[in-house]
């Protein structure tokens, strides 16, 4: 497997297309279409974006939400799934956040999609509750309504 590292500026423009093709995996479960991927400018403004491969075949986008590290997006190209890239990216994201001084990592995902809730649980994440309540408690707007229309969403957390 390729080394995981922060994305170079020239790689950021490739990541929206990678996210879009990654989202097609959900169509096998009848989920989607999802909102458009983040732009290269949004990715550049992230806390950090970690990539695997050159050109990237996967990435993890971290944001700071209410003072904590938050895994905003994890995407792996469908041709490269089930090779450990996603798991390696999650672990690298947690390591990065720990080294940056964060005590925990949060994320919002589908509770019942095998490569979402159960996958993150296998990496030590635990369910906290419903996303809109979690966002509201932090003074943030609710999640886009379309996301919950495809299944049960859950906030998960892992102590670092």
């Amino acid at each position: 497997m390729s080394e995981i590292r922060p994305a170079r500026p020239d790689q950021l423009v490739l990541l929206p297309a990678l996210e879009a093709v990654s989202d097609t995996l959900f169509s096998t479960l009848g989920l989607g279409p999802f909102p458009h991927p983040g732009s290269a400018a949004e990715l550049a403004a992230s806390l950090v974006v970690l990539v695997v491969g050159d050109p990237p075949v996967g990435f993890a986008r971290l944001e700071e939400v209410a003072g904590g590290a938050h895994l905003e997006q994890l995407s792996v190209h469908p041709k490269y799934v089930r090779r450990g890239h996603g798991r390696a990216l999650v672990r690298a994201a947690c390591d990065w956040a720990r080294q940056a001084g964060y005590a925990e990592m949060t994320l919002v995902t589908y509770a019942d999609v095998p490569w979402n809730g159960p996958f993150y649980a296998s990496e030590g994440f635990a369910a906290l509750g419903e996303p809109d309540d979690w966002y509201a408690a932090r003074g943030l707007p609710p999640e886009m309504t379309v996301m919950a229309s495809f299944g049960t969403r859950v906030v998960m957390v892992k102590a670092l």
Side-chain angles (χ1 to χ4, degrees):
M1 184 179 331
S2 301
E3 171 190 358
I4 296 174
R5 66 200 174 288
R8 297 187 314 260
D10 64 298
Q11 292 174 321
L12 295 177
V13 297
L14 305 173
L15 301 183
L18 176 56
E19 181 178 340
V21 73
S22 174
D23 282 350
T24 65
L25 291 169
F26 289 93
S27 66
T28 63
L29 301 176
L31 305 179
F34 293 107
H36 293 291
S39 68
E42 290 168 327
L43 290 162
S46 297
L47 190 58
V48 70
V49 177
L50 303 173
V51 296
V52 60
D54 194 4
V57 299
F59 74 94
R61 174 184 174 186
L62 277 66
E63 299 290 348
E64 186 170 301
V65 174
H70 184 77
L71 180 59
E72 179 63 29
Q73 182 66 38
L74 178 68
S75 295
V76 176
H77 192 286
K79 291 182 182 177
Y80 295 90
V81 297
R82 299 195 178 272
R83 298 184 190 183
H85 296 303
R87 193 168 299 278
L89 282 162
V90 168
R91 290 176 180 174
C94 289
D95 288 344
W96 185 94
R98 184 182 309 104
Q99 291 172 10
Y102 293 96
E104 64 184 22
M105 172 84 70
T106 58
L107 58 88
V108 178
T109 194
Y110 288 101
D112 302 319
V113 172
W115 60 88
N116 278 198
F119 164 75
Y120 291 115
S122 76
E123 282 297 312
F125 286 84
L128 277 180
E130 197 270 330
D132 287 347
D133 293 340
W134 185 79
Y135 285 126
R138 285 150 185 79
L140 301 169
E143 187 174 50
M144 284 192 257
T145 306
V146 69
M147 297 305 288
S149 68
F150 300 123
T152 303
R153 303 278 288 166
V154 64
V155 178
M156 300 184 84
V157 64
K158 178 178 180 173
L160 301 175

